[in-house]
């Protein structure tokens, strides 16, 4: 590396450590903090916590570590900072279950909006329904969303939109939990696929059977 390249590097400490993962582990060890970053992680920073996965994304043109919270089907940025030590402290505090108001008071760079708070509490489902039902972008799925949400059982499933189909998942924080995809054909017919189940193919379901079919597909086996 020539001197010009070194001067233009906004992350000289990260570069010297051999990458962001190594740099974060070094800082965490020096500070006596546990950030849960596996020793074999060298690329994308993804840290599993009981409040979703934490992702760290460094900006390219300036020194800025962007922190996101991720659950399957949804990613939310919760702040950014150029201070690697502060980032490590925030990750450790999130993992430890520090209350969000305390996190915000301690780490001013954190932006903990309503959805981030819902993820942290482990209960983002009702807010996700509200956002999808009021979304202009998902108007095409609006009728189907309203029909599914009207059912007292299905409204407790975490909804997302995947390639035009509505995905319902039992556990919002577990991407491997029971889930189905529902695609509306013409208002009277639907296609349903049990994701990861023995029936992986799309099955056409008449409108009158849709709710019962979905309830059965998502119930405990």
């Amino acid at each position: 590396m020539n001197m010009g390249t070194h001067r233009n590097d906004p992350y000289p400490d990260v570069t010297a450590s051999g990458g962001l993962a190594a740099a974060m582990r070094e800082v965490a060890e020096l500070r006596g903090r546990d950030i849960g970053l596996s020793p074999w992680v060298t690329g994308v920073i993804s840290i599993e916590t009981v409040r979703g996965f934490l992702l760290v994304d460094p900006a390219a043109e300036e020194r800025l570590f962007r922190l996101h919270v991720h659950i399957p089907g949804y990613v939310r940025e919760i702040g950014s900072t150029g201070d690697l030590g502060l980032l490590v402290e925030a990750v450790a505090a999130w993992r430890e279950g520090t209350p969000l108001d305390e996190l915000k008071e301690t780490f001013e760079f954190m932006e903990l909006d309503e959805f981030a708070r819902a993820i942290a509490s482990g209960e983002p489902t009702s807010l996700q329904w509200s956002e999808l039902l009021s979304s202009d972008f998902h108007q095409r799925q609006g009728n189907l969303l309203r029909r599914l949400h009207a059912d007292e059982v299905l409204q407790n499933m975490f909804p997302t939109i995947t390639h035009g189909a509505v995905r319902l998942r039992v556990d919002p924080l577990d991407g491997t939990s029971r889930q189905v995809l529902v695609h509306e054909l013409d208002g009277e017919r639907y296609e349903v696929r049990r994701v990861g189940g023995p029936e992986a193919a799309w099955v056409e379901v008449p409108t009158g059977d849709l709710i019962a079919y979905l309830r059965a597909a998502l119930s405990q086996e």
Side-chain angles (χ1 to χ4, degrees):
M1 178 182 295
N2 61 46
M3 291 301 295
T5 300
H6 180 74
R7 283 195 298 269
N8 293 330
D9 182 3
Y11 305 101
D13 49 343
V14 172
T15 302
S17 295
L20 181 55
M24 290 181 65
R25 283 192 289 265
E26 288 177 10
V27 172
E29 183 176 357
L30 286 172
R31 296 184 176 220
R33 304 306 302 270
D34 182 2
I35 57 173
L37 188 56
S38 301
W40 53 82
V41 172
T42 58
V44 176
I45 306 300
S46 178
I47 299 171
E48 185 175 4
T49 81
V50 297
R51 303 193 289 190
F53 283 81
L54 290 179
L55 310 179
V56 181
D57 173 31
E61 302 300 326
E62 60 176 326
R63 184 182 177 87
L64 195 65
F65 302 103
R66 295 175 295 219
L67 183 62
H68 302 77
V69 61
H70 168 255
I71 61 176
Y74 206 96
V75 178
R76 197 78 146 199
E77 183 171 341
I78 57 174
S80 58
T81 178
D83 187 327
L84 183 58
L86 204 59
L87 172 74
V88 166
E89 293 283 353
V91 169
W94 179 281
R95 288 188 71 249
E96 291 166 0
T98 301
L100 266 62
D101 288 340
E102 185 177 336
L103 277 175
K104 179 58 181 174
E105 183 177 347
T106 305
F107 306 102
E108 294 184 359
F109 75 89
M110 297 192 78
E111 303 168 1
L112 302 172
D113 63 10
E114 187 180 10
F115 199 90
R117 289 177 178 274
I119 293 175
S121 70
E123 300 177 350
T125 300
S126 61
L127 184 59
Q128 175 73 347
W129 273 112
S130 178
E131 290 197 357
L132 288 180
L133 288 167
S134 62
S135 170
D136 291 335
F137 185 77
H138 296 302
Q139 281 186 340
R140 190 165 65 86
Q141 291 82 25
N143 288 335
L144 176 56
L145 285 167
R146 285 187 289 271
R147 182 174 185 193
L148 299 177
H149 184 258
D151 182 73
E152 61 182 9
V153 172
L154 299 182
Q155 65 183 229
N156 294 313
M157 307 298 166
F158 187 77
T160 55
I161 306 296
T162 304
H163 302 300
V166 176
R167 181 188 297 267
L168 298 178
R169 189 169 67 245
V170 171
D171 186 342
L173 302 184
D174 182 0
T176 66
S177 66
R178 293 182 307 282
Q179 55 194 282
V180 294
L181 287 171
V182 189
H183 178 249
E184 184 174 357
L185 295 174
D186 56 14
E188 294 297 328
R189 295 179 303 131
Y190 300 87
E191 287 182 327
V192 178
R193 183 162 71 90
R194 303 189 189 198
V195 180
E199 300 175 16
W202 289 95
V203 176
E204 187 170 322
V205 180
T207 183
D209 299 335
L210 180 65
I211 300 303
Y213 187 93
L214 294 177
R215 280 190 174 200
L218 293 166
S219 66
Q220 187 73 40
E221 295 180 359

